[in-house]
Amino acid sequence: MEALKNKILNEGTVIGSEILKVDSFLNHQIDIKLLNEIGQEFKKRFAKNEITKILTVEASGIGIACIVAQYFNNIPVVFAKKHDSTTMDNNAYEAEVFSFTKNKKYKVRTSKKYINKEDKILIIDDFLANGNAALGLIKITRQAEASIVGVGIVIEKAFQNGRECIENEGIKVESLAIIKSLIDNKVVFK
Ligand code: G4P
């Protein structure tokens, strides 16, 4: 997706050789025009699929998923919660996720009320690195016996193995910008 690639080249900053910071349009300030184009592009890529809900994980996934959902007939967005909260339903699906970026484990939880076996789920997230967040959402969807239509990612880092892990589960991955390397502060697309 050209507009996204240009935005990454113009505004992204590289940290070390593995992290791309995109706070000016995706992870802190949000570019709504670009998110609408992202929504249209996901709609194109999953045009042939019936989708009943979008599943994502807090925090950055939520804004993206909400705009994307508008291009899929305003279907509901469900986000997995990462933090314990007194208002969280105890009757929940749960999966453990290991974050390489943060070097720690956390749990993702979704109330059983909001995903059921009739659902056809599109998983949406901002980044695909090692795939652990997406795999957590896949586990939750499978616990609910819902079907998974695919995983839609805004920025994939192809030098990490997230895509392989998800495809090994038999699930389609669609990424809008695929980064081959981030060496010497340079973003190289695949
Ligand atoms: P994984 O899910 O693909 O295995 O990735 P990992 O555990 O390494 O990533 C943990 C967090 O860091 C996720 O966000 C993920 O989206 C984000 N992340 C991974 N690589 C990059 C990168 O190159 N740049 C940026 N900006 N983020 C990256 P999170 O902790 O869940 O954050 P948030 O959604 O709460 O903001």
Side-chain angles (χ1 to χ4, degrees):
M1 189 186 150
E2 281 316 301
L4 173 63
K5 285 186 185 172
N6 287 335
K7 198 81 173 167
I8 292 170
L9 291 175
N10 293 332
E11 297 184 26
T13 51
V14 178
I15 300 175
S17 57
E18 293 202 345
I19 299 289
L20 173 71
K21 212 165 148 64
V22 286
D23 278 7
S24 70
F25 62 93
L26 199 64
N27 291 135
H28 201 359
Q29 173 172 260
I30 300 176
D31 182 329
I32 301 300
K33 183 171 177 285
L34 182 69
L35 277 202
N36 277 287
E37 288 169 28
I38 285 170
Q40 283 165 18
E41 185 64 29
F42 279 131
K43 176 65 193 169
K44 248 193 242 163
R45 301 212 188 181
F46 290 97
K48 292 194 182 127
N49 300 98
E50 190 196 340
I51 296 168
T52 62
K53 269 175 202 167
I54 292 180
L55 178 65
T56 188
V57 56
E58 64 180 351
S60 298
I62 299 174
I64 301 164
C66 287
I67 297 221
V68 172
Q70 296 178 10
Y71 292 89
F72 288 86
N73 272 331
N74 297 313
I75 52 174
V77 170
V78 179
F79 63 93
K81 299 197 181 191
K82 283 185 195 160
H83 303 287
D84 275 322
S85 107
T86 45
T87 57
M88 180 66 204
D89 193 337
N90 283 331
N91 196 16
Y93 300 117
E94 183 176 290
E96 198 163 73
V97 174
F98 178 75
S99 167
F100 282 95
T101 312
K102 292 180 179 155
N103 195 25
K104 66 172 192 193
K105 277 192 219 159
Y106 62 94
K107 282 185 178 156
V108 285
R109 291 192 189 88
T110 305
S111 167
K112 291 186 180 176
K113 274 190 224 159
Y114 303 122
I115 310 182
N116 58 61
K117 56 175 186 270
E118 282 77 44
D119 277 322
K120 296 173 174 58
I121 301 285
L122 172 61
I123 292 171
I124 291 283
D125 211 355
D126 55 347
F127 271 90
L128 179 61
N130 296 291
N132 289 318
L135 288 172
L137 297 178
I138 290 167
K139 276 187 208 151
I140 281 179
T141 310
R142 288 189 169 152
Q143 285 168 32
E145 297 177 50
S147 42
I148 304 170
V149 170
V151 174
I153 297 291
V154 179
I155 304 173
E156 173 182 341
K157 296 187 291 181
F159 53 86
Q160 293 173 296
N161 67 346
R163 173 178 287 268
E164 194 187 337
C165 294
I166 298 168
E167 287 180 344
N168 283 345
E169 294 290 320
I171 296 166
K172 168 180 167 177
V173 180
E174 285 287 349
S175 305
L176 306 189
I178 304 182
I179 293 172
K180 193 165 122 193
S181 72
L182 291 172
I183 295 163
D184 296 332
N185 288 327
K186 250 186 67 192
V187 179
V188 178
F189 294 106
K190 209 171 159 183

